[in-house]
PDB file of all heavy atoms in Angstrom:
ATOM      1  N   LEU A  42      27.252  -1.801 -20.210  1.00 88.00           N
ATOM      2  CA  LEU A  42      26.290  -2.811 -20.641  1.00 88.00           C
ATOM      3  C   LEU A  42      26.976  -4.142 -20.939  1.00 88.00           C
ATOM      4  O   LEU A  42      26.485  -5.224 -20.611  1.00 88.00           O
ATOM      5  CB  LEU A  42      25.504  -2.328 -21.850  1.00 88.00           C
ATOM      6  CG  LEU A  42      24.448  -1.267 -21.577  1.00 88.00           C
ATOM      7  CD1 LEU A  42      23.970  -0.643 -22.890  1.00 88.00           C
ATOM      8  CD2 LEU A  42      23.292  -1.835 -20.802  1.00 88.00           C
ATOM      9  N   LYS A  43      28.156  -4.051 -21.558  1.00 92.00           N
ATOM     10  CA  LYS A  43      28.916  -5.267 -21.865  1.00 92.00           C
ATOM     11  C   LYS A  43      29.290  -5.987 -20.569  1.00 92.00           C
ATOM     12  O   LYS A  43      29.139  -7.212 -20.455  1.00 92.00           O
ATOM     13  CB  LYS A  43      30.161  -4.917 -22.655  1.00 92.00           C
ATOM     14  CG  LYS A  43      31.033  -6.134 -22.929  1.00 92.00           C
ATOM     15  CD  LYS A  43      32.348  -5.748 -23.550  1.00 92.00           C
ATOM     16  CE  LYS A  43      33.236  -6.995 -23.568  1.00 92.00           C
ATOM     17  NZ  LYS A  43      34.622  -6.696 -23.733  1.00 92.00           N
ATOM     18  N   ASN A  44      29.794  -5.251 -19.580  1.00 91.00           N
ATOM     19  CA  ASN A  44      30.188  -5.864 -18.306  1.00 91.00           C
ATOM     20  C   ASN A  44      29.020  -6.543 -17.613  1.00 91.00           C
ATOM     21  O   ASN A  44      29.150  -7.622 -17.078  1.00 91.00           O
ATOM     22  CB  ASN A  44      30.836  -4.811 -17.404  1.00 91.00           C
ATOM     23  CG  ASN A  44      32.175  -4.354 -17.914  1.00 91.00           C
ATOM     24  OD1 ASN A  44      32.831  -5.036 -18.667  1.00 91.00           O
ATOM     25  ND2 ASN A  44      32.607  -3.175 -17.497  1.00 91.00           N
ATOM     26  N   ILE A  45      27.876  -5.869 -17.619  1.00 88.00           N
ATOM     27  CA  ILE A  45      26.669  -6.437 -17.007  1.00 88.00           C
ATOM     28  C   ILE A  45      26.289  -7.719 -17.710  1.00 88.00           C
ATOM     29  O   ILE A  45      25.956  -8.729 -17.087  1.00 88.00           O
ATOM     30  CB  ILE A  45      25.500  -5.423 -17.050  1.00 88.00           C
ATOM     31  CG1 ILE A  45      25.807  -4.231 -16.122  1.00 88.00           C
ATOM     32  CG2 ILE A  45      24.193  -6.063 -16.670  1.00 88.00           C
ATOM     33  CD1 ILE A  45      24.901  -3.045 -16.305  1.00 88.00           C
ATOM     34  N   MET A  46      26.338  -7.691 -19.055  1.00 88.00           N
ATOM     35  CA  MET A  46      25.952  -8.858 -19.859  1.00 88.00           C
ATOM     36  C   MET A  46      26.903 -10.031 -19.555  1.00 88.00           C
ATOM     37  O   MET A  46      26.438 -11.167 -19.371  1.00 88.00           O
ATOM     38  CB  MET A  46      26.012  -8.484 -21.342  1.00 88.00           C
ATOM     39  CG  MET A  46      25.423  -9.513 -22.269  1.00 88.00           C
ATOM     40  SD  MET A  46      25.548  -9.033 -24.022  1.00 88.00           S
ATOM     41  CE  MET A  46      24.921  -7.381 -24.016  1.00 88.00           C
ATOM     42  N   VAL A  47      28.186  -9.761 -19.543  1.00 92.00           N
ATOM     43  CA  VAL A  47      29.175 -10.831 -19.308  1.00 92.00           C
ATOM     44  C   VAL A  47      28.966 -11.429 -17.927  1.00 92.00           C
ATOM     45  O   VAL A  47      28.926 -12.649 -17.784  1.00 92.00           O
ATOM     46  CB  VAL A  47      30.626 -10.274 -19.464  1.00 92.00           C
ATOM     47  CG1 VAL A  47      31.637 -11.267 -18.931  1.00 92.00           C
ATOM     48  CG2 VAL A  47      30.889  -9.959 -20.919  1.00 92.00           C
ATOM     49  N   LYS A  48      28.813 -10.614 -16.899  1.00 91.00           N
ATOM     50  CA  LYS A  48      28.598 -11.140 -15.535  1.00 91.00           C
ATOM     51  C   LYS A  48      27.363 -12.002 -15.465  1.00 91.00           C
ATOM     52  O   LYS A  48      27.389 -13.087 -14.882  1.00 91.00           O
ATOM     53  CB  LYS A  48      28.476  -9.982 -14.562  1.00 91.00           C
ATOM     54  CG  LYS A  48      29.794  -9.302 -14.231  1.00 91.00           C
ATOM     55  CD  LYS A  48      29.611  -8.174 -13.243  1.00 91.00           C
ATOM     56  CE  LYS A  48      30.891  -7.396 -13.036  1.00 91.00           C
ATOM     57  NZ  LYS A  48      30.736  -6.238 -12.170  1.00 91.00           N
ATOM     58  N   GLY A  49      26.265 -11.530 -16.067  1.00 89.00           N
ATOM     59  CA  GLY A  49      25.027 -12.304 -16.014  1.00 89.00           C
ATOM     60  C   GLY A  49      25.121 -13.637 -16.755  1.00 89.00           C
ATOM     61  O   GLY A  49      24.630 -14.660 -16.259  1.00 89.00           O
ATOM     62  N   MET A  50      25.735 -13.610 -17.926  1.00 90.00           N
ATOM     63  CA  MET A  50      25.818 -14.833 -18.715  1.00 90.00           C
ATOM     64  C   MET A  50      26.801 -15.857 -18.095  1.00 90.00           C
ATOM     65  O   MET A  50      26.538 -17.051 -18.108  1.00 90.00           O
ATOM     66  CB  MET A  50      26.209 -14.510 -20.152  1.00 90.00           C
ATOM     67  CG  MET A  50      25.111 -13.786 -20.906  1.00 90.00           C
ATOM     68  SD  MET A  50      25.579 -13.265 -22.562  1.00 90.00           S
ATOM     69  CE  MET A  50      25.554 -14.835 -23.406  1.00 90.00           C
ATOM     70  N   VAL A  51      27.896 -15.369 -17.541  1.00 92.00           N
ATOM     71  CA  VAL A  51      28.852 -16.275 -16.871  1.00 92.00           C
ATOM     72  C   VAL A  51      28.196 -16.873 -15.631  1.00 92.00           C
ATOM     73  O   VAL A  51      28.364 -18.060 -15.359  1.00 92.00           O
ATOM     74  CB  VAL A  51      30.171 -15.535 -16.543  1.00 92.00           C
ATOM     75  CG1 VAL A  51      31.037 -16.340 -15.596  1.00 92.00           C
ATOM     76  CG2 VAL A  51      30.935 -15.192 -17.813  1.00 92.00           C
ATOM     77  N   ALA A  52      27.447 -16.061 -14.910  1.00 92.00           N
ATOM     78  CA  ALA A  52      26.743 -16.557 -13.726  1.00 92.00           C
ATOM     79  C   ALA A  52      25.707 -17.626 -14.075  1.00 92.00           C
ATOM     80  O   ALA A  52      25.439 -18.529 -13.270  1.00 92.00           O
ATOM     81  CB  ALA A  52      26.067 -15.412 -12.998  1.00 92.00           C
ATOM     82  N   SER A  53      25.175 -17.541 -15.294  1.00 90.00           N
ATOM     83  CA  SER A  53      24.176 -18.553 -15.683  1.00 90.00           C
ATOM     84  C   SER A  53      24.816 -19.776 -16.355  1.00 90.00           C
ATOM     85  O   SER A  53      24.101 -20.678 -16.815  1.00 90.00           O
ATOM     86  CB  SER A  53      23.142 -17.927 -16.632  1.00 90.00           C
ATOM     87  OG  SER A  53      23.735 -17.572 -17.861  1.00 90.00           O
ATOM     88  N   GLY A  54      26.160 -19.815 -16.422  1.00 92.00           N
ATOM     89  CA  GLY A  54      26.856 -21.020 -16.880  1.00 92.00           C
ATOM     90  C   GLY A  54      27.463 -20.943 -18.294  1.00 92.00           C
ATOM     91  O   GLY A  54      28.013 -21.952 -18.749  1.00 92.00           O
ATOM     92  N   THR A  55      27.354 -19.853 -18.954  1.00 91.00           N
ATOM     93  CA  THR A  55      27.942 -19.726 -20.287  1.00 91.00           C
ATOM     94  C   THR A  55      29.458 -19.504 -20.125  1.00 91.00           C
ATOM     95  O   THR A  55      29.870 -18.723 -19.289  1.00 91.00           O
ATOM     96  CB  THR A  55      27.343 -18.539 -21.055  1.00 91.00           C
ATOM     97  OG1 THR A  55      25.918 -18.666 -21.030  1.00 91.00           O
ATOM     98  CG2 THR A  55      27.823 -18.490 -22.481  1.00 91.00           C
ATOM     99  N   PRO A  56      30.273 -20.231 -20.926  1.00 93.00           N
ATOM    100  CA  PRO A  56      31.725 -20.030 -20.823  1.00 93.00           C
ATOM    101  C   PRO A  56      32.122 -18.579 -21.062  1.00 93.00           C
ATOM    102  O   PRO A  56      31.567 -17.889 -21.923  1.00 93.00           O
ATOM    103  CB  PRO A  56      32.278 -20.941 -21.931  1.00 93.00           C
ATOM    104  CG  PRO A  56      31.213 -21.951 -22.197  1.00 93.00           C
ATOM    105  CD  PRO A  56      29.919 -21.262 -21.902  1.00 93.00           C
ATOM    106  N   LYS A  57      33.088 -18.116 -20.299  1.00 93.00           N
ATOM    107  CA  LYS A  57      33.484 -16.701 -20.343  1.00 93.00           C
ATOM    108  C   LYS A  57      33.979 -16.260 -21.715  1.00 93.00           C
ATOM    109  O   LYS A  57      33.646 -15.162 -22.176  1.00 93.00           O
ATOM    110  CB  LYS A  57      34.555 -16.413 -19.284  1.00 93.00           C
ATOM    111  CG  LYS A  57      34.873 -14.956 -19.151  1.00 93.00           C
ATOM    112  CD  LYS A  57      35.805 -14.672 -17.999  1.00 93.00           C
ATOM    113  CE  LYS A  57      36.035 -13.159 -17.895  1.00 93.00           C
ATOM    114  NZ  LYS A  57      36.800 -12.790 -16.757  1.00 93.00           N
ATOM    115  N   ALA A  58      34.759 -17.113 -22.411  1.00 92.00           N
ATOM    116  CA  ALA A  58      35.280 -16.730 -23.717  1.00 92.00           C
ATOM    117  C   ALA A  58      34.143 -16.492 -24.720  1.00 92.00           C
ATOM    118  O   ALA A  58      34.158 -15.491 -25.437  1.00 92.00           O
ATOM    119  CB  ALA A  58      36.212 -17.813 -24.249  1.00 92.00           C
ATOM    120  N   LYS A  59      33.158 -17.374 -24.744  1.00 92.00           N
ATOM    121  CA  LYS A  59      32.011 -17.202 -25.637  1.00 92.00           C
ATOM    122  C   LYS A  59      31.182 -15.980 -25.250  1.00 92.00           C
ATOM    123  O   LYS A  59      30.720 -15.229 -26.089  1.00 92.00           O
ATOM    124  CB  LYS A  59      31.118 -18.442 -25.620  1.00 92.00           C
ATOM    125  CG  LYS A  59      31.697 -19.621 -26.341  1.00 92.00           C
ATOM    126  CD  LYS A  59      30.696 -20.766 -26.358  1.00 92.00           C
ATOM    127  CE  LYS A  59      31.247 -21.950 -27.128  1.00 92.00           C
ATOM    128  NZ  LYS A  59      30.270 -23.053 -27.221  1.00 92.00           N
TER     129      LYS A  59
END
Side-chain angles (χ1 to χ4, degrees):
L42 286 168
K43 177 189 170 197
N44 291 338
I45 292 167
M46 190 182 311
V47 168
K48 285 179 186 176
M50 291 176 74
V51 168
S53 67
T55 307
K57 188 173 182 175
K59 286 184 178 183

